[in-house]
Amino acid sequence: MDERTRFVVAMSGSARRVRDDEPLYVISVAAEMAGMHPQTLRQYDRLGLVSPRRTGGGGRRYSLRDVERLREVQRLSQEEGVNLVGVKRILQLEAEVETLRAQLELVAEAQRQSEYLAQGQGRPDYLPVPSFGGGALAIYRTRRSR
């Protein structure tokens, strides 16, 4: 089981594996899980702090990740004394850091592959380059004249 999936037990007693970002919970259930009033969740949604997915009819559906984020907003505002504008900025910065970490890992992997190629392994006429937005990219490197 990877870190983005968990087992969820339904009221029927059956368990199934779900992704952290799978929208499962209506607002009343998410509010109870987070220890908040549903109106607080509506306010956080209006402020853009926690934006759940919507059903075709416009109902909110919260994921486990959303519930964790609700708890973090509450912790920052109540325990740390940060106002909601500050909480929003903290969450934005944390998301940027995660994006940068993922990009750094891609660059590090490209560096490892480049070193592998430089040692005479693989095809010496291609240099792998990390992809930050989707599909893979490889740059053709011409051979040097001797």
Side-chain angles (χ1 to χ4, degrees), residues 50-62:
V50 179
S51 299
R53 294 201 196 140
R54 300 289 184 141
T55 64
R60 294 171 174 89
R61 291 293 182 272
Y62 291 83

mmCIF file with all atom_site columns, all heavy atoms in Angstrom, residues 50-62:
data_model
loop_
_atom_site.group_PDB
_atom_site.id
_atom_site.type_symbol
_atom_site.label_atom_id
_atom_site.label_alt_id
_atom_site.label_comp_id
_atom_site.label_asym_id
_atom_site.label_entity_id
_atom_site.label_seq_id
_atom_site.pdbx_PDB_ins_code
_atom_site.Cartn_x
_atom_site.Cartn_y
_atom_site.Cartn_z
_atom_site.occupancy
_atom_site.B_iso_or_equiv
_atom_site.pdbx_formal_charge
_atom_site.auth_seq_id
_atom_site.auth_comp_id
_atom_site.auth_asym_id
_atom_site.auth_atom_id
_atom_site.pdbx_PDB_model_num
ATOM 1  N N   . VAL A 1 50 ? -9.812  25.167 2.130   1.00 0.00 ? 50 VAL A N   1
ATOM 2  C CA  . VAL A 1 50 ? -10.054 23.754 1.815   1.00 0.00 ? 50 VAL A CA  1
ATOM 3  C C   . VAL A 1 50 ? -11.188 23.740 0.801   1.00 0.00 ? 50 VAL A C   1
ATOM 4  O O   . VAL A 1 50 ? -12.300 24.143 1.119   1.00 0.00 ? 50 VAL A O   1
ATOM 5  C CB  . VAL A 1 50 ? -10.441 22.938 3.065   1.00 0.00 ? 50 VAL A CB  1
ATOM 6  C CG1 . VAL A 1 50 ? -10.698 21.486 2.694   1.00 0.00 ? 50 VAL A CG1 1
ATOM 7  C CG2 . VAL A 1 50 ? -9.366  23.038 4.131   1.00 0.00 ? 50 VAL A CG2 1
ATOM 8  N N   . SER A 1 51 ? -10.877 23.306 -0.409  1.00 0.00 ? 51 SER A N   1
ATOM 9  C CA  . SER A 1 51 ? -11.868 23.308 -1.485  1.00 0.00 ? 51 SER A CA  1
ATOM 10 C C   . SER A 1 51 ? -12.185 21.874 -1.895  1.00 0.00 ? 51 SER A C   1
ATOM 11 O O   . SER A 1 51 ? -11.448 21.271 -2.668  1.00 0.00 ? 51 SER A O   1
ATOM 12 C CB  . SER A 1 51 ? -11.339 24.095 -2.685  1.00 0.00 ? 51 SER A CB  1
ATOM 13 O OG  . SER A 1 51 ? -11.091 25.429 -2.319  1.00 0.00 ? 51 SER A OG  1
ATOM 14 N N   . PRO A 1 52 ? -13.284 21.339 -1.365  1.00 0.00 ? 52 PRO A N   1
ATOM 15 C CA  . PRO A 1 52 ? -13.647 19.968 -1.715  1.00 0.00 ? 52 PRO A CA  1
ATOM 16 C C   . PRO A 1 52 ? -14.157 19.883 -3.148  1.00 0.00 ? 52 PRO A C   1
ATOM 17 O O   . PRO A 1 52 ? -14.494 20.904 -3.764  1.00 0.00 ? 52 PRO A O   1
ATOM 18 C CB  . PRO A 1 52 ? -14.768 19.656 -0.724  1.00 0.00 ? 52 PRO A CB  1
ATOM 19 C CG  . PRO A 1 52 ? -15.405 20.985 -0.478  1.00 0.00 ? 52 PRO A CG  1
ATOM 20 C CD  . PRO A 1 52 ? -14.264 21.965 -0.495  1.00 0.00 ? 52 PRO A CD  1
ATOM 21 N N   . ARG A 1 53 ? -14.189 18.678 -3.661  1.00 0.00 ? 53 ARG A N   1
ATOM 22 C CA  . ARG A 1 53 ? -14.782 18.481 -4.986  1.00 0.00 ? 53 ARG A CA  1
ATOM 23 C C   . ARG A 1 53 ? -16.282 18.623 -4.883  1.00 0.00 ? 53 ARG A C   1
ATOM 24 O O   . ARG A 1 53 ? -16.861 18.527 -3.803  1.00 0.00 ? 53 ARG A O   1
ATOM 25 C CB  . ARG A 1 53 ? -14.404 17.111 -5.529  1.00 0.00 ? 53 ARG A CB  1
ATOM 26 C CG  . ARG A 1 53 ? -12.913 17.028 -5.795  1.00 0.00 ? 53 ARG A CG  1
ATOM 27 C CD  . ARG A 1 53 ? -12.607 15.932 -6.778  1.00 0.00 ? 53 ARG A CD  1
ATOM 28 N NE  . ARG A 1 53 ? -11.183 15.647 -6.700  1.00 0.00 ? 53 ARG A NE  1
ATOM 29 C CZ  . ARG A 1 53 ? -10.653 14.449 -6.750  1.00 0.00 ? 53 ARG A CZ  1
ATOM 30 N NH1 . ARG A 1 53 ? -11.431 13.397 -6.885  1.00 0.00 ? 53 ARG A NH1 1
ATOM 31 N NH2 . ARG A 1 53 ? -9.363  14.277 -6.670  1.00 0.00 ? 53 ARG A NH2 1
ATOM 32 N N   . ARG A 1 54 ? -16.905 18.830 -6.027  1.00 0.00 ? 54 ARG A N   1
ATOM 33 C CA  . ARG A 1 54 ? -18.352 19.003 -6.064  1.00 0.00 ? 54 ARG A CA  1
ATOM 34 C C   . ARG A 1 54 ? -19.000 17.885 -6.866  1.00 0.00 ? 54 ARG A C   1
ATOM 35 O O   . ARG A 1 54 ? -18.432 17.380 -7.825  1.00 0.00 ? 54 ARG A O   1
ATOM 36 C CB  . ARG A 1 54 ? -18.717 20.348 -6.717  1.00 0.00 ? 54 ARG A CB  1
ATOM 37 C CG  . ARG A 1 54 ? -18.172 21.578 -6.012  1.00 0.00 ? 54 ARG A CG  1
ATOM 38 C CD  . ARG A 1 54 ? -18.885 21.794 -4.711  1.00 0.00 ? 54 ARG A CD  1
ATOM 39 N NE  . ARG A 1 54 ? -18.434 23.017 -4.068  1.00 0.00 ? 54 ARG A NE  1
ATOM 40 C CZ  . ARG A 1 54 ? -19.226 23.832 -3.433  1.00 0.00 ? 54 ARG A CZ  1
ATOM 41 N NH1 . ARG A 1 54 ? -20.513 23.585 -3.332  1.00 0.00 ? 54 ARG A NH1 1
ATOM 42 N NH2 . ARG A 1 54 ? -18.751 24.902 -2.863  1.00 0.00 ? 54 ARG A NH2 1
ATOM 43 N N   . THR A 1 55 ? -20.213 17.531 -6.457  1.00 0.00 ? 55 THR A N   1
ATOM 44 C CA  . THR A 1 55 ? -21.007 16.564 -7.218  1.00 0.00 ? 55 THR A CA  1
ATOM 45 C C   . THR A 1 55 ? -21.671 17.312 -8.363  1.00 0.00 ? 55 THR A C   1
ATOM 46 O O   . THR A 1 55 ? -21.611 18.550 -8.439  1.00 0.00 ? 55 THR A O   1
ATOM 47 C CB  . THR A 1 55 ? -22.090 15.932 -6.324  1.00 0.00 ? 55 THR A CB  1
ATOM 48 O OG1 . THR A 1 55 ? -23.000 16.965 -5.920  1.00 0.00 ? 55 THR A OG1 1
ATOM 49 C CG2 . THR A 1 55 ? -21.485 15.250 -5.114  1.00 0.00 ? 55 THR A CG2 1
ATOM 50 N N   . GLY A 1 56 ? -22.346 16.588 -9.235  1.00 0.00 ? 56 GLY A N   1
ATOM 51 C CA  . GLY A 1 56 ? -23.077 17.206 -10.334 1.00 0.00 ? 56 GLY A CA  1
ATOM 52 C C   . GLY A 1 56 ? -24.124 18.181 -9.848  1.00 0.00 ? 56 GLY A C   1
ATOM 53 O O   . GLY A 1 56 ? -24.403 19.191 -10.495 1.00 0.00 ? 56 GLY A O   1
ATOM 54 N N   . GLY A 1 57 ? -24.696 17.917 -8.682  1.00 0.00 ? 57 GLY A N   1
ATOM 55 C CA  . GLY A 1 57 ? -25.703 18.793 -8.102  1.00 0.00 ? 57 GLY A CA  1
ATOM 56 C C   . GLY A 1 57 ? -25.134 19.911 -7.253  1.00 0.00 ? 57 GLY A C   1
ATOM 57 O O   . GLY A 1 57 ? -25.875 20.697 -6.674  1.00 0.00 ? 57 GLY A O   1
ATOM 58 N N   . GLY A 1 58 ? -23.808 19.995 -7.140  1.00 0.00 ? 58 GLY A N   1
ATOM 59 C CA  . GLY A 1 58 ? -23.173 21.072 -6.384  1.00 0.00 ? 58 GLY A CA  1
ATOM 60 C C   . GLY A 1 58 ? -22.826 20.741 -4.943  1.00 0.00 ? 58 GLY A C   1
ATOM 61 O O   . GLY A 1 58 ? -22.283 21.581 -4.230  1.00 0.00 ? 58 GLY A O   1
ATOM 62 N N   . GLY A 1 59 ? -23.135 19.513 -4.491  1.00 0.00 ? 59 GLY A N   1
ATOM 63 C CA  . GLY A 1 59 ? -22.801 19.131 -3.122  1.00 0.00 ? 59 GLY A CA  1
ATOM 64 C C   . GLY A 1 59 ? -21.311 18.943 -2.935  1.00 0.00 ? 59 GLY A C   1
ATOM 65 O O   . GLY A 1 59 ? -20.605 18.523 -3.845  1.00 0.00 ? 59 GLY A O   1
ATOM 66 N N   . ARG A 1 60 ? -20.830 19.255 -1.753  1.00 0.00 ? 60 ARG A N   1
ATOM 67 C CA  . ARG A 1 60 ? -19.414 19.101 -1.441  1.00 0.00 ? 60 ARG A CA  1
ATOM 68 C C   . ARG A 1 60 ? -19.104 17.650 -1.089  1.00 0.00 ? 60 ARG A C   1
ATOM 69 O O   . ARG A 1 60 ? -19.862 17.010 -0.373  1.00 0.00 ? 60 ARG A O   1
ATOM 70 C CB  . ARG A 1 60 ? -19.036 20.002 -0.270  1.00 0.00 ? 60 ARG A CB  1
ATOM 71 C CG  . ARG A 1 60 ? -19.120 21.480 -0.542  1.00 0.00 ? 60 ARG A CG  1
ATOM 72 C CD  . ARG A 1 60 ? -18.931 22.261 0.755   1.00 0.00 ? 60 ARG A CD  1
ATOM 73 N NE  . ARG A 1 60 ? -18.869 23.683 0.542   1.00 0.00 ? 60 ARG A NE  1
ATOM 74 C CZ  . ARG A 1 60 ? -19.941 24.489 0.534   1.00 0.00 ? 60 ARG A CZ  1
ATOM 75 N NH1 . ARG A 1 60 ? -21.153 23.992 0.722   1.00 0.00 ? 60 ARG A NH1 1
ATOM 76 N NH2 . ARG A 1 60 ? -19.795 25.785 0.332   1.00 0.00 ? 60 ARG A NH2 1
ATOM 77 N N   . ARG A 1 61 ? -17.954 17.166 -1.570  1.00 0.00 ? 61 ARG A N   1
ATOM 78 C CA  . ARG A 1 61 ? -17.463 15.838 -1.209  1.00 0.00 ? 61 ARG A CA  1
ATOM 79 C C   . ARG A 1 61 ? -16.012 15.980 -0.781  1.00 0.00 ? 61 ARG A C   1
ATOM 80 O O   . ARG A 1 61 ? -15.159 16.409 -1.555  1.00 0.00 ? 61 ARG A O   1
ATOM 81 C CB  . ARG A 1 61 ? -17.562 14.854 -2.382  1.00 0.00 ? 61 ARG A CB  1
ATOM 82 C CG  . ARG A 1 61 ? -18.957 14.464 -2.766  1.00 0.00 ? 61 ARG A CG  1
ATOM 83 C CD  . ARG A 1 61 ? -19.628 13.649 -1.655  1.00 0.00 ? 61 ARG A CD  1
ATOM 84 N NE  . ARG A 1 61 ? -20.957 13.216 -2.024  1.00 0.00 ? 61 ARG A NE  1
ATOM 85 C CZ  . ARG A 1 61 ? -22.066 13.905 -1.837  1.00 0.00 ? 61 ARG A CZ  1
ATOM 86 N NH1 . ARG A 1 61 ? -22.000 15.095 -1.272  1.00 0.00 ? 61 ARG A NH1 1
ATOM 87 N NH2 . ARG A 1 61 ? -23.238 13.427 -2.194  1.00 0.00 ? 61 ARG A NH2 1
ATOM 88 N N   . TYR A 1 62 ? -15.752 15.619 0.463   1.00 0.00 ? 62 TYR A N   1
ATOM 89 C CA  . TYR A 1 62 ? -14.430 15.764 1.058   1.00 0.00 ? 62 TYR A CA  1
ATOM 90 C C   . TYR A 1 62 ? -13.660 14.450 0.998   1.00 0.00 ? 62 TYR A C   1
ATOM 91 O O   . TYR A 1 62 ? -14.221 13.376 1.167   1.00 0.00 ? 62 TYR A O   1
ATOM 92 C CB  . TYR A 1 62 ? -14.553 16.214 2.512   1.00 0.00 ? 62 TYR A CB  1
ATOM 93 C CG  . TYR A 1 62 ? -15.053 17.633 2.653   1.00 0.00 ? 62 TYR A CG  1
ATOM 94 C CD1 . TYR A 1 62 ? -16.410 17.919 2.610   1.00 0.00 ? 62 TYR A CD1 1
ATOM 95 C CD2 . TYR A 1 62 ? -14.166 18.685 2.810   1.00 0.00 ? 62 TYR A CD2 1
ATOM 96 C CE1 . TYR A 1 62 ? -16.871 19.226 2.725   1.00 0.00 ? 62 TYR A CE1 1
ATOM 97 C CE2 . TYR A 1 62 ? -14.617 19.998 2.928   1.00 0.00 ? 62 TYR A CE2 1
ATOM 98 C CZ  . TYR A 1 62 ? -15.970 20.253 2.882   1.00 0.00 ? 62 TYR A CZ  1
ATOM 99 O OH  . TYR A 1 62 ? -16.415 21.542 2.990   1.00 0.00 ? 62 TYR A OH  1
#
